Amino acid sequence: PQALARVAAIMDATPQARGAIQDIAYRTMRHLGRAETLLSLLAPKQPEPPMLAMLLCAALTLVDVPDGTPPPYEPFTVVDQAVTAATAHPDLVRAKGMVNAVLRRFLREKGALLAAALQNEVARYNYPQWWIDTTRAAYPNDWQRILEEGNRPPPLTLRVNERQISAAAYVERLREAGMDATQVGPTAVRLEKPVPVHQIPGFSEGVVSVQDAGAQLAAPLLEVEDGMRVLDACAAPGGKTGHILEAADVALTAVDADPERLKRVQENLDRLHLHADLTAAEAQTTGWWDGQPFDRIVADVPCTASGIVRRHPDIRWLRRKSDTLQLATLSTQILDNLWPMLKPGGKFLFVTCSLWPQESEAQAAAFAARHGATRLPAPGQLLPAHGAQQDHDGLFYALFQKPAA
């Protein structure tokens, strides 16, 4: 998202152009394994510079759509525009003939090229091989479905602010505005057709916020009550922060290591007309804490984000296998650092958007053993899902209670 925002700013792109740029980028990320494998068959020598390879991958993604899916553009329009793009850039202008030849050859030999490419698992599933292997090992009965779910475009799910309106009443409000929607959780409403947020009824007034249905489970698990002190650690972009404050009048501290991402939290709170104390600090440190214990703590710890790749398709290509251990180690440090900040009898919610047991269930079990924490009922591992009555990312929840003094 940050990279796309920079591009749009440099180009001074219109809203329509921004949408088209994002669509092409996300499509390419979701099908990059297939596109790169095809490119290796079409051009055995890696095209240079890397920008040329990515131009070809983006074009291949637009002309090689999955069976049954209508193409976003006519194939020969894609070829023409790819050649035009190469011609317009000084580093690529000499390669315009190659761009034309590669894409036209693909259109001529599409069947044979796809048959050869799809022998490769990276091309078939569009994930790095280590990611495929890790998913298969963790979920031997569900790994293919999990990978497929990660390649689906995500829904636009809203969290209804129950201080203002019920979810059922808001669905009716949407229908009156000509928007089809389905309630997929206590406060979760999924729009059948995503629209820009400024077109969503009540969004600017804080009636609703954008938040995945699975992520909306956090605040209810905490069972916050008026007057409590609550810590939201690793808080950005602030969905859980806002939801907790909608649930009760609490004194909430939101901590995040990234000051820029904290600005997003403040923007969301301003729109919701809510207040929290925002602190830019690393959750594995204690210098920011005033020494007063919290009644509730939620820690949405760093992870590989393997459960939210449908929203962030670039994650799979940016992560490395070694990241799992490094991030699990950091998460352990954060959890151990925050536990002493919880009051006796208080509740501690561990959240991660990972699918890997090393970052989720194994982490939770080890944490409980180290601290003698009582584990309370919680959803545990949610695998990514979509359907008529449920539609959520892959998340993990473990809820603990500190023994009374």
Side-chain angles (χ1 to χ4, degrees), residues 162-163 216-232 240-253 294-298 342 346-349 399:
E162 290 188 301
R163 290 193 180 216
Q216 294 185 36
L217 299 176
L221 284 168
L222 289 170
E223 296 182 324
V224 291
E225 298 175 2
D226 291 353
M228 284 184 171
R229 277 175 54 87
V230 179
L231 172 64
D232 185 1
K240 297 177 184 67
T241 309
H243 199 185
I244 292 167
L245 291 167
E246 288 171 3
D249 292 320
V250 301
L252 191 147
T253 299
F294 296 97
D295 298 284
R296 300 286 188 269
I297 295 177
V298 56
L342 184 68
K347 293 181 180 180
F348 187 106
L349 182 61
L399 182 64

Side-chain angles (χ1 to χ4, degrees), residues 52 55-56 79 82-84 86-87 92-105:
L52 175 60
L55 171 62
L56 286 164
V79 176
V83 172
T84 300
T87 303
L92 306 184
V93 63
R94 294 182 180 178
K96 64 180 183 180
M98 176 198 176
V99 171
N100 184 64
V102 164
L103 295 177
R104 289 184 180 277
R105 182 188 165 196

Side-chain angles (χ1 to χ4, degrees), residues 237-279:
K240 297 177 184 67
T241 309
H243 199 185
I244 292 167
L245 291 167
E246 288 171 3
D249 292 320
V250 301
L252 191 147
T253 299
V255 173
D256 198 273
D258 188 340
E260 289 301 313
R261 281 167 55 81
L262 271 179
K263 292 179 182 178
R264 175 92 176 274
V265 178
Q266 187 62 60
E267 290 169 0
N268 283 324
L269 292 176
D270 291 344
R271 183 178 54 80
L272 293 167
H273 308 292
L274 297 169
H275 172 75
D277 293 322
L278 307 188
T279 301

Side-chain angles (χ1 to χ4, degrees), residues 172-248:
E172 288 304 314
R173 180 175 173 181
L174 288 173
R175 287 177 179 155
E176 290 171 2
M179 296 182 180
D180 291 332
T182 304
Q183 187 172 346
V184 291
T187 57
V189 172
R190 181 189 63 209
L191 293 182
E192 296 307 312
K193 292 183 179 180
V195 297
V197 291
H198 68 268
Q199 295 180 15
I200 298 172
F203 179 83
S204 60
E205 294 83 29
V207 176
V208 291
S209 299
V210 176
Q211 188 180 32
D212 177 72
Q216 294 185 36
L217 299 176
L221 284 168
L222 289 170
E223 296 182 324
V224 291
E225 298 175 2
D226 291 353
M228 284 184 171
R229 277 175 54 87
V230 179
L231 172 64
D232 185 1
C234 313
K240 297 177 184 67
T241 309
H243 199 185
I244 292 167
L245 291 167
E246 288 171 3

